[in-house]
Amino acid sequence: LGAVGHAFDGMLDEVVRSQALLREAEARYADIVQNAVEGIYQTSRDGKYLMANPSLARIYGYDTPDDLIEDQDTAVKLYVDPAERAEFVRRVDEAGVLTNFETQMRRKDGGVIWVTHNARRVRDADGRFAYYEGTVQDITERKHVEQFKSDFVSFATHQMRTPLSGLKWLLELAGDVEGVPADARSYIADARQSAERLVRLVNDLLAASRLEGGRITIKGENVDLAALTRSVVAELAPQARDKSQKVTVCGEGDITPVIADPQLIRQALLNLTSNAVKYTPAGGAISIRMQNRNGEVAWSVDDTGIGIPAADQPRLFGKFFRAGNVFAVETEGTGLGLYLVRLIIQRSGGHVWCESQEGKGSTFTLTLPAATLVPA
């Protein structure tokens, strides 16, 4: 009995130590959550907050987390555009995890702020949905700085456009003059190419500035996405043939028209498809797929190219950003192509995102509102 009692005392001591360690770990976790700079939350599927830390309450203008939690249907009410929350939930449900989802939110006092969400869907032990959890960061100041930079770029590029166009025209004339020595003609051709790159950069900057400021009118009309895709593929066919790439298009026969501006959407499709061609090695494959989905049309381009490093993916659609591994393939580039794609798709009422694995390829997907509702 003495041995049994001694063993029992040892087990009891171990239980006590384990409980103490558990309480210590819980205290550390609670301290991290309570003092985190970022807002931390858990919400139900219908948007009711189950947990919030002080930073989240402060971001949204509440005195305490309890005030935020007790405000019924808070998450739904805070979104400036309720459709943004629906899209946020859809994408979290589809992928399980969503990072860097930027949107505008409304504080308790009515003020509008910009935030970025990171979230994941949590399941219980039986694999059923339990709650959403994630973090929120106030990026309003960053957005203001971006707006200032955008205004400056818009002014500067407007001033540069006319003289650059004139320079390009003069170089074209000089290149056509008879009797120009071969070495001088080579210099003129190089200067002309440089001028053309500058003109393209200025045009991209102006397009980005106008889209950012809402100065480009989006013509909402029924657009045949399949026809635009065929046009883009035909335009890029010579480059794909030069690299012995196989380009396929699927789903075009059953696709529903979308509501969009045909010129802007074509530019977005061209940017995404040309990137697939550019960053896919010779002999690779590029597949474009279209499908109707819940009142919208999904369009995606999949390639077997160099892929995108995981660390670069959150910044992929940012202005002037180029992934670190692209310079081995294409040294020239403005870093504006994907940024313009994002602006065009967002202004058209859709969304765009990327899934990629470095060294294995990428899939860029965009969605646009369908001209007529189509069953899921």
Side-chain angles (χ1 to χ4, degrees), residues 76-112:
V76 178
K77 183 173 62 179
L78 289 173
Y79 278 81
V80 171
D81 181 0
E84 285 287 314
R85 181 181 182 275
E87 176 63 15
F88 174 76
V89 170
R90 182 185 70 79
R91 290 174 60 183
V92 174
D93 283 341
E94 284 187 356
V97 177
L98 182 61
T99 59
N100 296 297
F101 184 88
E102 294 185 2
T103 186
Q104 286 184 298
M105 306 289 280
R106 203 180 305 278
R107 288 168 51 88
K108 183 182 179 183
D109 61 9
V112 174

Side-chain angles (χ1 to χ4, degrees), residues 199-221:
V199 169
R200 286 197 298 270
L201 172 60
V202 167
N203 287 337
D204 283 348
L205 286 169
L206 283 174
S209 176
R210 289 168 178 169
L211 283 165
E212 289 168 339
R215 293 188 293 275
I216 291 182
T217 303
I218 302 294
K219 300 176 182 178
E221 58 185 77

Side-chain angles (χ1 to χ4, degrees), residues 29-279:
Y29 172 76
D31 183 66
I32 292 172
V33 171
Q34 291 298 309
N35 295 294
V37 175
E38 291 184 331
I40 300 175
Y41 67 86
Q42 293 176 345
T43 66
S44 62
R45 186 175 290 280
D46 61 1
K48 180 176 176 57
Y49 277 96
L50 307 174
M51 184 279 286
N53 72 340
S55 288
L56 188 75
R58 183 174 61 254
I59 288 172
Y60 292 140
Y62 288 84
D63 294 329
T64 68
D66 289 340
D67 294 335
L68 177 65
I69 293 171
E70 291 171 3
D71 191 353
Q72 295 296 316
D73 300 322
T74 303
V76 178
K77 183 173 62 179
L78 289 173
Y79 278 81
V80 171
D81 181 0
E84 285 287 314
R85 181 181 182 275
E87 176 63 15
F88 174 76
V89 170
R90 182 185 70 79
R91 290 174 60 183
V92 174
D93 283 341
E94 284 187 356
V97 177
L98 182 61
T99 59
N100 296 297
F101 184 88
E102 294 185 2
T103 186
Q104 286 184 298
M105 306 289 280
R106 203 180 305 278
R107 288 168 51 88
K108 183 182 179 183
D109 61 9
V112 174
I113 59 173
W114 276 95
V115 302
T116 181
H117 285 280
N118 296 283
R120 72 185 185 101
R121 182 188 63 238
V122 180
R123 298 183 182 275
D124 61 20
D126 296 324
R128 295 171 299 190
F129 173 84
Y131 52 82
Y132 300 111
E133 70 176 13
T135 62
V136 172
Q137 187 174 15
D138 186 345
I139 58 171
T140 307
E141 187 63 30
R142 192 193 84 193
K143 286 292 185 179
H144 287 164
V145 172
E146 289 176 355
Q147 183 60 51
F148 173 79
K149 289 165 60 178
S150 176
D151 291 342
F152 172 78
V153 168
S154 177
F155 171 78
T157 49
H158 270 292
Q159 300 302 312
M160 293 168 59
R161 188 175 190 178
T162 300
L164 277 175
S165 296
L167 176 62
K168 176 176 173 290
W169 178 69
L170 289 173
L171 288 169
E172 289 174 352
L173 290 178
D176 293 335
V177 173
E178 294 183 2
V180 177
D183 54 349
R185 191 177 297 278
S186 175
Y187 298 148
I188 292 172
D190 290 342
R192 177 180 172 181
Q193 290 178 359
S194 296
E196 288 174 346
R197 286 197 296 270
L198 282 172
V199 169
R200 286 197 298 270
L201 172 60
V202 167
N203 287 337
D204 283 348
L205 286 169
L206 283 174
S209 176
R210 289 168 178 169
L211 283 165
E212 289 168 339
R215 293 188 293 275
I216 291 182
T217 303
I218 302 294
K219 300 176 182 178
E221 58 185 77
N222 287 9
V223 174
D224 186 342
L225 199 61
L228 284 185
T229 301
R230 289 192 296 271
S231 170
V232 165
V233 170
E235 181 174 337
L236 296 173
Q239 293 94 307
R241 280 196 301 270
D242 288 344
K243 299 179 73 175
S244 301
Q245 294 170 339
K246 181 180 180 181
V247 181
T248 58
V249 181
C250 307
E252 56 182 326
D254 302 321
I255 207 68
T256 301
V258 296
I259 302 174
D261 184 303
Q263 291 185 336
L264 289 177
I265 294 304
R266 189 184 188 282
Q267 181 180 354
L269 302 186
L270 182 61
N271 282 359
L272 293 177
T273 309
S274 64
N275 278 351
V277 172
K278 184 185 302 181
Y279 298 117

